[in-house]
């Protein structure tokens, strides 16, 4: 690979080191064309010369000009006031005069929005605020009620911490919300640096920046920061940028505007750069525009052979800790999405769980299902589920026998392996676990002697379909019951056309990816 010779510059003189000067008439013509786009920089791609920045490298990645900061704020806030989405928590924050109620409304929204899309949160937020409009109302609620309302939103510990925080504020601070980001982070469980800053700036007008995924994306493109945002050192750089930029007059609106920009315009894969209100200040955008101009003036073979000018860092040397690393240089086809640098995600661990939907008939002919409560700590703490058994690695082939043995606790007698009817699988992805549920069905009938009705069951209850849907159950459990009921409907219809054989029907149930055999006698 050719070496690019780099030369040092001073404020008085620019030094150059060239590997090859244009010699032929064709080369000289290419040099003349290039100068049309690069005259102010004196850069000719054919000569393979690259100037080094006369400015200290870190200055390229920050806002050091007061006029630029002022213009950035003005452009962003003007756009936000015109284009912001109509969201219920914004209405409440803007229209609520009581500071504690306003902060509580912001707190609930920020916790719900963690790792969850806005569209999924709106319905939950409206139901939550209708049921528990103040800290005092939430403090009086039971964890069971909180889990029931939160069911389906995921990351269930968030709801539990909200309730714990409300009880703490009511009992220790007379229902008064902390007024600063520092106090919020210190006193409220589950509230980190970002959430505390968001509440303090939006509800109380504290002049503090915030940094979340959307803000990181905006700042990394605006200042061409290609370093790993997961690094604690680089994260502090983003926080310093956010604090420097935040508007002192409208800190809450500014922080929301930064997040709104990242969510709707400066998106991860298909950013709408033409609609960006601050594109004039975006380093990545200017790189793309300049690259396009350079490409249109020069032959494609010369495209992007070195695009560092006197105002930029030189990432090719690896000396700047904020630039794209030499191992992951700028890729022209990616444009501004070169930033932020993609972090390597830890692969989720693989787990497999055998789950059995136990059904019994009752006097009104409505089937009931047995659900049991999970432990009060750990994954899906306190939620209800069908009797389930986490399978050890390498024991998946014995899952049916293991589940039958496990079910003895719930039915009071030994369960014949042959009575467990396979229904299918449910795949559920947690943040750190790829969980596959192997679903089985067992219809309990005391007349058949496969159920001891008087057995005492720990932390469990029988529920109807409607009661199940209103219980604090995970999405995976809801999918499991849906699979069983859907398969039963298919089989019921099949009995009219296929007849019976020994009280059983064998049906190739492609909906579940495997044949399904259920006892319908």
């Amino acid at each position: 690979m050719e070496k690019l010779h780099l030369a040092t510059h001073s404020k008085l003189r620019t030094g150059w080191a060239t590997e090859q000067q244009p010699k032929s008439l064709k080369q000289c013509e290419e040099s003349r064309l290039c100068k049309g786009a690069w005259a102010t920089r004196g850069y000719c791609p054919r000569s393979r010369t690259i100037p080094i920045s006369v400015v200290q490298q870190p200055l390229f990645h920050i806002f050091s000009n007061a006029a630029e900061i002022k213009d950035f704020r003005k452009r962003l806030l003007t756009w936000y006031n015109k284009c912001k989405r109509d969201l219920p928590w914004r209405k409440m924050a803007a229209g609520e005069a009581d500071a504690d109620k306003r902060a509580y409304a912001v707190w609930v929204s920020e916790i719900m929005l963690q790792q969850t899309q806005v569209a999924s949160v709106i319905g939950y937020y409206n139901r939550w605020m209708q049921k528990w409009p103040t800290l005092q109302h939430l403090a009086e609620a039971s964890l069971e009620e909180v889990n029931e309302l939160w069911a389906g939103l995921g990351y269930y510990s968030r709801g539990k911490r909200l309730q714990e925080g409300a009880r703490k504020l009511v009992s220790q601070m007379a229902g008064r919300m902390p007024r600063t980001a520092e106090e919020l982070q210190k006193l409220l469980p589950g509230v980190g640096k970002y959430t505390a800053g968001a509440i303090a700036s939006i509800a109380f007008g504290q002049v503090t920046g915030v940094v979340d995924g959307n803000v990181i994306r905006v700042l990394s493109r605006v200042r061409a920061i290609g370093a790993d945002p997961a690094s604690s050192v680089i994260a502090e750089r983003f926080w310093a940028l956010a604090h420097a930029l935040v508007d002192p007059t409208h800190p809450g609106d500014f922080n929301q505007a930064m997040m709104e920009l990242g969510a709707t315009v400066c998106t991860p894969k298909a950013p709408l750069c033409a609609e960006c209100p601050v594109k004039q200040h975006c380093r990545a955008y200017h790189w793309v525009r300049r690259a396009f101009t350079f490409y249109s003036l020069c032959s494609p073979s010369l495209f992007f052979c070195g695009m560092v000018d006197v105002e930029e860092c030189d990432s090719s040397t690896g000396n700047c800790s904020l630039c794209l690393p030499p191992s992951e240089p700028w890729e022209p086809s990616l444009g501004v999405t070169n930033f932020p640098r993609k972090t390597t995600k830890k692969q989720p661990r693989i787990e497999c769980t055998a789950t059995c939907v136990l059904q019994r008939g009752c006097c009104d002919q409505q089937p009931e299902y047995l659900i049991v409560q999970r432990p009060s700590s750990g994954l899906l703490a306190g939620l209800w589920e069908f009797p389930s058994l986490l399978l050890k690695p390498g024991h998946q082939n014995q899952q049916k026998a293991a589940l039958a043995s496990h079910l003895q606790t719930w039915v009071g007698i030994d369960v014949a392996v042959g009575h467990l009817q396979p229904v299918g699988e449910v795949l559920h992805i947690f943040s750190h676990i790829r969980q596959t549920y192997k679903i089985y069905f067992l219809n309990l009938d005391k007349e058949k002697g496969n159920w001891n009705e008087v057995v005492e069951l720990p932390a469990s209850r029988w529920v109807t379909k409607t009661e199940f849907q209103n219980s604090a159950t995970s999405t995976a459990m809801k999918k499991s019951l849906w699979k069983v009921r859907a398969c039963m409907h298919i089989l019921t219809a099949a009995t009219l056309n296929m007849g019976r054989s020994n009280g059983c029907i064998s049906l190739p149930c492609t909906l579940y990816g495997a044949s399904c055999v259920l006892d319908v006698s």
Side-chain angles (χ1 to χ4, degrees), residues 404-439:
S405 176
H406 177 68
L407 289 175
Q408 182 179 357
T409 302
W410 311 108
V411 300
I413 61 175
D414 290 336
V415 176
V417 174
H419 289 169
L420 292 177
Q421 307 297 338
V423 175
E425 296 182 355
V426 168
L427 175 64
H428 193 78
I429 308 297
F430 298 94
S431 59
H432 59 298
I433 302 173
R434 182 182 177 89
Q435 180 74 263
T436 299
Y437 293 90
K438 306 283 189 178
I439 311 302

Side-chain angles (χ1 to χ4, degrees), residues 194-496:
Y194 158 75
T195 304
I199 298 171
S201 62
I202 297 171
F204 302 122
Q206 181 181 351
V207 182
T208 180
V210 298
V211 173
D212 72 344
N214 287 319
V215 174
I216 286 175
R217 187 162 55 254
V218 171
L219 291 178
S220 66
R221 290 171 181 173
V222 167
R223 294 294 93 169
I225 298 176
D228 185 0
S231 161
S232 59
V233 174
I234 303 305
E236 285 303 314
R237 293 294 190 101
F238 280 116
W239 276 100
L241 270 176
H243 291 321
L245 278 179
V246 65
D247 187 275
T249 308
H250 306 285
D253 282 349
F254 182 87
N255 287 335
Q256 290 182 90
M258 287 287 285
M259 292 183 281
E260 186 82 347
L261 185 67
T264 62
V265 175
C266 194
T267 54
K269 295 183 179 179
L272 306 174
C273 293
E275 300 177 17
C276 179
V278 293
K279 58 180 177 288
Q280 294 85 349
H281 303 286
C282 182
R283 304 280 198 220
Y285 177 74
H286 287 311
W287 277 15
V288 173
R289 290 289 301 274
R290 201 170 68 218
F292 178 79
T293 303
F294 180 70
Y295 184 86
S296 65
L297 290 173
C298 302
S299 62
S301 63
L302 302 178
F303 179 58
F304 211 83
C305 58
M307 290 185 56
V308 183
D309 68 21
V310 295
E311 297 176 352
E312 296 174 1
C313 282
D314 178 24
S315 60
S316 64
T317 65
N319 292 329
C320 178
S321 63
L322 297 178
C323 280
L324 288 167
S327 60
E328 299 178 40
W330 172 278
E331 170 54 51
S333 64
L334 295 178
V336 301
T337 61
N338 277 279
F339 304 99
R341 179 182 170 188
K342 307 299 184 294
T343 58
T344 302
K345 292 184 178 181
K346 184 179 179 180
Q347 291 297 316
R349 69 174 184 266
I350 307 299
E351 289 188 355
C352 185
T353 295
T355 297
C356 185
V357 178
L358 290 171
Q359 175 183 293
R360 74 175 184 183
C362 57
C363 56
D364 60 358
Q365 301 304 313
Q366 289 293 321
E368 290 184 332
Y369 306 96
L370 181 69
I371 55 175
V372 300
Q373 193 168 32
R374 291 182 61 84
S376 58
S377 61
L379 184 68
L380 305 176
L383 297 190
W384 295 85
E385 65 180 5
F386 297 116
S388 300
L389 177 65
L390 179 64
L391 301 173
K392 296 180 181 179
H395 289 69
Q396 281 82 355
N397 292 335
Q398 293 82 37
Q399 59 183 282
K400 200 171 181 180
L403 180 61
S405 176
H406 177 68
L407 289 175
Q408 182 179 357
T409 302
W410 311 108
V411 300
I413 61 175
D414 290 336
V415 176
V417 174
H419 289 169
L420 292 177
Q421 307 297 338
V423 175
E425 296 182 355
V426 168
L427 175 64
H428 193 78
I429 308 297
F430 298 94
S431 59
H432 59 298
I433 302 173
R434 182 182 177 89
Q435 180 74 263
T436 299
Y437 293 90
K438 306 283 189 178
I439 311 302
Y440 292 88
F441 174 78
L442 178 60
N443 185 46
L444 298 179
D445 189 339
K446 60 183 179 181
E447 294 182 359
K448 290 185 177 181
N450 65 354
W451 171 36
N452 183 358
E453 190 175 10
V454 298
V455 66
E456 293 185 8
L457 304 178
S460 63
R461 55 194 172 108
W462 289 94
V463 294
T464 64
K465 174 190 170 187
T466 300
E467 290 171 337
F468 174 82
Q469 291 173 338
N470 293 329
S471 299
T473 56
S474 68
T475 300
M477 291 300 107
K478 288 181 170 63
K479 290 180 180 178
S480 299
L481 181 58
W482 181 88
K483 272 189 177 292
V484 168
R485 291 183 62 84
C487 196
M488 290 297 292
H489 282 306
I490 293 173
L491 291 172
T492 300
T495 59
L496 302 176

